[in-house]
C-alpha cells in the first residue's frame, strides 16, 4: 500500500504541475491577444496571474510586463482612477522590488500629481539601483530643485556661518555634552560637526523625505553612517526608547525657513526640552 500511495501522490503532483503549465500558457496567449487589441487592463491582469503562478518567468516577460503596466497606468491616470493606478504599481513593485524603470515611472506619476517629496523617494531609489539611469537622475535633480530651497545651498557655502556653528558645537561637546540631537538636519552638516567634535552619540531627524535621503548620502560619503543615526521623523514624534535610547545632553538646530515654522518650531523645541533633553540638576 505505501508504494500505491506514493504513486498516487506522484500522479496527482504531476497533474497539478501540468495544469499550472497549461494555465500559464493560456494566460500568456490571452495577454498577448489583449495587447494586440490594446486592452491593457486585461493584459495586465493576465500577466499578474502568470507571474504569481510562474515566478521563474519574471526575467522572460519583464519588458512586456513593464510596457503593459505603463500603458494601463496611462489609461487609469486619464480616467482619474488614482488609487487603482497606485495599486498597480504596488503590485508591480512586489514582483520587481529592485526594478529602477518601474520606480522611476512611479515617481513620474507622483510628481505630476503634486506628491513631490514621495516622487523624490522613488527617483532616488531608481538612481541607487542604477547610477547610470539618465532619466531617473534628471527626474531626481528636477524634483530636488522644487524641494530644496536655494538659500540652503547659500548657507552651506557660508564659511563664516559654518565655522561659528562648528566652534559652538565643539565648545558644548568639550563641556560635557556627549549625546546630541540635530533637529531638521538637512544635509547632516551639524550632526557631522558634533561627531567630529567628539560626541559619543549623535541622532538626527529630518521630516522631508528628499532631505533625509540626501543626508544619508552625505553622511555615508563621509564614512559616518554607523556613527550618526538618521530618523525620518518629525522631532515631536521621537520617542524614548523607541527611536533613541535615552535623553540627549545637547540639541542643535537651524530651523529658520517658513516651511519649518509651519512644522511648529516653537512646539518642536519645547517638546525637545521636555522629553528629549537631559534636565539640569
Amino acid at each position: 500500500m505505501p508504494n500505491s500511495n506514493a504513486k498516487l501522490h506522484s500522479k496527482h503532483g504531476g497533474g497539478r504541475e501540468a495544469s499550472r503549465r497549461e494555465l500559464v500558457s493560456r494566460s500568456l496567449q490571452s495577454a498577448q491577444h489583449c495587447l494586440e487589441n490594446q486592452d491593457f487592463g486585461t493584459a495586465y491582469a493576465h500577466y499578474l496571474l502568470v507571474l504569481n503562478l510562474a515566478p521563474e518567468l519574471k526575467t522572460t516577460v519583464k519588458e512586456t510586463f513593464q510596457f503593459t503596466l505603463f500603458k494601463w497606468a496611462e489609461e487609469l491616470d486619464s480616467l482619474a482612477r488614482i488609487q487603482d493606478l497606485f495599486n498597480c504599481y504596488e503590485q508591480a513593485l512586489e514582483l520587481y522590488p529592485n526594478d529602477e524603470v518601474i520606480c522611476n515611472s512611479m515617481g513620474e506619476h507622483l510628481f505630476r500629481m503634486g506628491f513631490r517629496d514621495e516622487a523624490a523617494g522613488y527617483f532616488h531609489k531608481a538612481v541607487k539601483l542604477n547610477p547610470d539611469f539618465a532619466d531617473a537622475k534628471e527626474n531626481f535633480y528636477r524634483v530636488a530643485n522644487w524641494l530644496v530651497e536655494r538659500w540652503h545651498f547659500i548657507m552651506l557655502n557660508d564659511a563664516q556661518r559654518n565655522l561659528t556653528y562648528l566652534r559652538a558645537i565643539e565648545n558644548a561637546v568639550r563641556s560635557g555634552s556627549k549625546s546630541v540631537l540635530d533637529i531638521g538636519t538637512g544635509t547632516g552638516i551639524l550632526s557631522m560637526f558634533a561627531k567630529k567634535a567628539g560626541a559619543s552619540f549623535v541622532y538626527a531627524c529630518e521630516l522631508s523625505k528628499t532631505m533625509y535621503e540626501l543626508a544619508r548620502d552625505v553622511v555615508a560619503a563621509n564614512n559616518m553612517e554607523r556613527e550618526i543615526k538618521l530618523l525620518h521623523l518629525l522631532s515631536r514624534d521621537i520617542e524614548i526608547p523607541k527611536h533613541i535610547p535615552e535623553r540627549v545632553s545637547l540639541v542643535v538646530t537651524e530651523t529658520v525657513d517658513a516651511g519649518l515654522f509651519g512644522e511648529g518650531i516653537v512646539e518642536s523645541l519645547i517638546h525637545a526640552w521636555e522629553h528629549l533633553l537631559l534636565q539640569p540638576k
Side-chain angles (χ1 to χ4, degrees):
M1 289 301 293
N3 289 336
S4 298
N5 286 334
K7 290 179 180 178
L8 183 62
H9 284 304
S10 176
K11 182 178 180 180
H12 286 320
R16 284 194 296 269
E17 176 59 23
S19 297
R20 183 186 74 92
R21 289 198 301 266
E22 177 66 18
L23 181 55
V24 168
S25 177
R26 289 185 177 182
S27 294
L28 284 172
Q29 292 174 8
S30 296
Q32 188 60 42
H33 178 72
C34 290
L35 286 179
E36 291 170 357
N37 289 283
Q38 298 188 352
D39 183 0
F40 300 114
T42 308
Y44 176 76
H46 281 298
Y47 277 119
L48 281 184
L49 178 62
V50 168
L51 290 168
N52 279 286
L53 287 175
E56 68 273 12
L57 295 178
K58 282 184 178 181
T59 302
T60 304
V61 304
K62 179 179 177 179
E63 290 188 8
T64 311
F65 174 76
Q66 287 175 343
F67 172 81
T68 306
L69 167 67
F70 301 156
K71 286 294 186 181
W72 179 224
E74 288 177 6
E75 283 192 24
L76 292 173
D77 193 7
S78 68
L79 296 169
R81 292 171 56 183
I82 306 306
Q83 190 56 55
D84 289 335
L85 185 153
F86 288 152
N87 289 341
C88 286
Y89 273 96
E90 287 175 3
Q91 292 167 339
L93 286 169
E94 285 180 5
L95 293 166
Y96 297 96
N98 296 317
D99 188 290
E100 70 273 19
V101 178
I102 295 177
C103 286
N104 183 65
S105 180
M106 176 65 158
E108 289 176 338
H109 281 287
L110 287 165
F111 184 78
R112 283 195 295 271
M113 294 173 191
F115 302 108
R116 291 173 181 142
D117 207 24
E118 293 82 356
Y122 281 97
F123 293 146
H124 184 266
K125 182 178 180 180
V127 174
K128 282 287 190 181
L129 290 168
N130 182 1
D132 296 324
F133 189 7
D135 287 349
K137 286 197 291 187
E138 181 180 346
N139 283 331
F140 181 70
Y141 294 144
R142 179 163 57 114
V143 74
N145 284 333
W146 282 90
L147 295 170
V148 182
E149 299 290 345
R150 292 288 185 263
W151 58 259
H152 198 93
F153 296 108
I154 295 172
M155 289 197 314
L156 287 175
N157 287 288
D158 186 340
Q160 185 60 46
R161 161 197 168 274
N162 293 339
L163 183 59
T164 301
Y165 267 98
L166 175 60
R167 287 174 176 168
I169 291 172
E170 286 177 341
N171 288 337
V173 172
R174 289 169 183 167
S175 298
S177 298
K178 296 300 183 181
S179 55
V180 180
L181 171 64
D182 179 8
I183 296 177
T185 192
T187 58
I189 187 171
L190 300 186
S191 295
M192 292 187 290
F193 283 170
K195 194 62 194 177
K196 288 181 178 179
S200 302
F201 305 99
V202 180
Y203 312 99
C205 64
E206 175 56 56
L207 180 61
S208 166
K209 178 67 172 176
T210 304
M211 295 307 299
Y212 167 75
E213 295 290 356
L214 181 59
R216 288 182 61 185
D217 287 345
V218 172
V219 168
N222 284 273
N223 299 314
M224 292 186 181
E225 65 269 30
R226 295 183 179 180
E227 300 174 331
I228 298 174
K229 182 175 181 179
L230 288 164
L231 303 167
H232 181 217
L233 284 173
L234 188 69
S235 58
R236 285 173 288 167
D237 293 334
I238 297 176
E239 299 178 15
I240 297 172
K242 182 179 179 180
H243 301 115
I244 62 177
E246 57 188 2
R247 288 174 178 257
V248 298
S249 52
L250 176 66
V251 170
V252 296
T253 186
E254 193 178 15
T255 46
V256 296
D257 82 308
L260 287 167
F261 272 106
E263 175 188 323
I265 182 61
V266 175
E267 292 85 351
S268 296
L269 292 177
I270 290 174
H271 175 83
W273 171 261
E274 293 179 344
H275 302 284
L276 306 175
L277 190 65
L278 285 171
Q279 300 299 310
K281 296 180 179 179

